[in-house]
Amino acid sequence: MRRSKIALTAMLATVLVLYGFNYKRIKDQPPAKNHPVFKQVTYEGKAKIYEENPLEDGEFYNPILQGCYPDPAITRKGDDYYMVCSSFAMFPGVPIFHSKDLVNWTDLGGVLDDITEFNPHDTGISQGVYAPGITYNPHNDTFYMIVTAFSGGLGNIIVKTKDPKKGWGSPIKLDFGGIDPSIFFDEDGKGYIVHNDAPDEGKALYNGHRVIKIWEYDVENDQVIPGTDKIIVDGGVDINDKPIWIEAPHIYKKDGRYYLMCAEGGTGDWHSEVIFKSDSPKGPYTPAPSNPILTQRYFPKERKNKVDWAGHADLVKGPNDEYYGVFLAVRPNEENRVNTGRETFILPVDWSGEYPVFENGLVPMEPKLKLPEGVESKTGQDGYLPNGNFTYTEDFSSEKLDFRWIGLRGPREAFMEQTKKGLEITPFETNIKQRKPTSTLFYRQQHNSFSFSTTLEYQPKSEKDLAGVVALQNENSNYVFGVTRKDKDYFVVLEKNYKPNRRAEMKSEILAAEKIDLNKTIDLKIVANGDKYEFQFSLNGIEFKTLGGAVSGDILSTDVAGGFTGCLLGLYATKSNDVIPE
């Protein structure tokens, strides 16, 4: 298990020094000179889909995790369900959630929360870690989280715990390549790892040709057994159709048979979920004649309340022993932009026949589901995550900052401190456009229409100082909106950082700048109405002015900016500002 609390504190102090400044507790001290203080933040969801589809008795909203929570995997021990998702370069790595009923979820933070063991400090935002698996092994009463880590030379790793609520052990490096691993434990106690990989050398037939491999797993020594690897799926359901990107495999056992479920078609508009069956965990596997068992690819692009890209799923026995599947999908805005990223959805699964099928997973998906029998929705209550349209206010006064606030390429504790006046950020010498840890506290965009507002107390001392808010898709695609200084004057500025095309160099453009009479505080607000974003400020807390007019959210969308993440909204400060007003 984790080190003692004292050891952790010492470790964090060392890490913070490595990040370029001395660690000291200043919680009860006044803010340091020239450090911005964010008084509070209010995030308000204003999506029309929830206004037009109010919940009736016995219903809950889908997705269950709004915003960038992709690639879900799930497991169960007794009445406890645990679910993990991809986090890429966000920190901590691999967010984990707990539920008793698959409807009401609490956030347990991140599995990989030790920066000395998982450090995505110089990775692109869509690297880091992704496509985790989580499995409970009843034979040794242990939970296993397995994932591919694209940082620090880790590769595929596994971590273990007896209780996910109490933290996880250190990563164990596994000796195999490929991505998207998951682990399966058979009734006899034997373990197996399945994962996506490239075909054997020289045997790739087309772009996107991938295979699924299986290894026997040494449970005592936590390693794959050399020489036991075997390809169990080549290409996908039918190699003659040249299927692309078979990935995200999971094995299940039911009625003495083994079932292998995989994503197929790539994590875009041809995404799907397919199923195979075998008499042995190592195959041969026969595809179901009814594949795919989940997809949204066959429907009109202009359909109402569009859900798309559905796939990358995992199954679990839910309340009343009925099966459910969690999976990723997207909800584009009116311009077909994917700014909220890939979200976590759930559907009941009918496994009364030979193969499982996602109920209503092969028709256009609806925003509401029927509650499992005997389950009550407690969304937004008693510590459960909110869903639908909601307002979340953070005044930074609680002892522990909510887990929904995250760092990028490093821990949030490296630059923030909760003080009596609000959240103080110690600015780094790094800029939001760099592939380095930035002094930015992030919140995921969870609605296509929303507002994100904060009150900032700050007086920059030079043009190198800037504090404010950002809307960020990646280091090359973002908006910076904040306060800086030129000579003796204060300015509020709006900068757009983007690539004219994915192969081009990034361009930085100041969209607007306005000299202001900054007394002490300024209110900053990001307002999105679908694809249109506005950046507003107020010097009296009442009257807001839009700087630079309405701008497109296109650069905050996966389909334009590339990568795998959704838009992140951040409280940002830097000592390396380059947004210099004319």
Side-chain angles (χ1 to χ4, degrees), residues 58 60 101-103 318-320 324 369-376:
F60 70 107
D101 51 29
L102 299 180
V103 174
N320 309 310
Y324 283 79
L369 289 176
K370 182 180 178 182
L371 286 165
E373 185 176 348
V375 174
E376 175 187 356

Side-chain angles (χ1 to χ4, degrees), residues 464-501:
K464 289 294 184 181
D465 298 326
L466 180 142
V469 294
V470 296
L472 179 137
Q473 215 291 326
N474 61 46
E475 54 273 9
N476 298 312
S477 299
N478 54 76
Y479 289 101
V480 176
F481 180 51
V483 176
T484 187
R485 182 169 179 161
K486 184 177 181 182
D487 299 326
K488 296 182 179 181
D489 297 318
Y490 297 113
F491 286 83
V492 58
V493 294
L494 175 62
E495 181 186 48
K496 177 182 179 181
N497 300 304
Y498 68 103
K499 286 188 173 184
N501 60 69

Side-chain angles (χ1 to χ4, degrees), residues 51 97 120 140 153 162 190 213 226 229 296 337-339 393 396 404 412 414 440 497 514 527:
E51 296 173 357
F97 305 88
N140 59 6
K162 295 289 186 179
K190 289 184 178 180
K213 281 187 179 179
D229 57 310
Q296 295 288 288
R337 305 299 188 199
V338 186
N339 294 39
T393 299
F396 304 110
R404 73 189 75 193
R412 62 192 192 182
T440 318
N497 300 304
E514 183 171 321
V527 178

Side-chain angles (χ1 to χ4, degrees), residues 413-478:
E413 291 80 9
F415 57 81
M416 52 148 269
E417 190 71 38
Q418 291 172 256
T419 72
K420 291 180 179 180
K421 298 187 72 174
L423 182 89
E424 178 187 341
I425 290 183
T426 300
F428 285 176
E429 297 277 356
T430 53
N431 190 286
I432 201 71
K433 293 175 279 190
Q434 295 177 271
R435 281 196 179 191
K436 294 181 179 180
T438 63
S439 40
T440 318
L441 188 65
F442 283 107
Y443 182 101
R444 293 168 175 87
Q445 178 182 333
Q446 296 178 289
H447 302 78
N448 280 326
S449 295
F450 70 91
S451 66
F452 177 85
S453 58
T454 186
T455 299
L456 170 64
E457 181 178 319
Y458 182 55
Q459 289 188 322
K461 300 302 180 184
S462 77
E463 64 182 24
K464 289 294 184 181
D465 298 326
L466 180 142
V469 294
V470 296
L472 179 137
Q473 215 291 326
N474 61 46
E475 54 273 9
N476 298 312
S477 299
N478 54 76

Side-chain angles (χ1 to χ4, degrees), residues 88 99 375 521:
F88 306 99
S99 177
V375 174
T521 64

Side-chain angles (χ1 to χ4, degrees), residues 197-215:
D197 209 340
D200 290 341
E201 188 174 355
K203 293 188 177 181
L205 301 178
Y206 51 87
N207 186 32
H209 179 195
R210 303 290 288 181
V211 303
I212 300 298
K213 281 187 179 179
I214 189 167
W215 298 75

Side-chain angles (χ1 to χ4, degrees), residues 282-322:
K282 298 191 75 171
Y285 280 91
T286 303
S290 56
N291 278 317
I293 59 173
L294 166 71
T295 191
Q296 295 288 288
R297 66 192 181 197
Y298 298 120
F299 312 122
K301 290 188 176 181
E302 303 306 317
R303 62 189 182 274
K304 186 176 176 60
N305 298 333
K306 180 179 178 180
V307 176
D308 211 355
W309 302 10
H312 200 119
D314 197 6
L315 302 180
V316 70
K317 251 189 185 180
N320 309 310
D321 277 344
E322 299 290 335

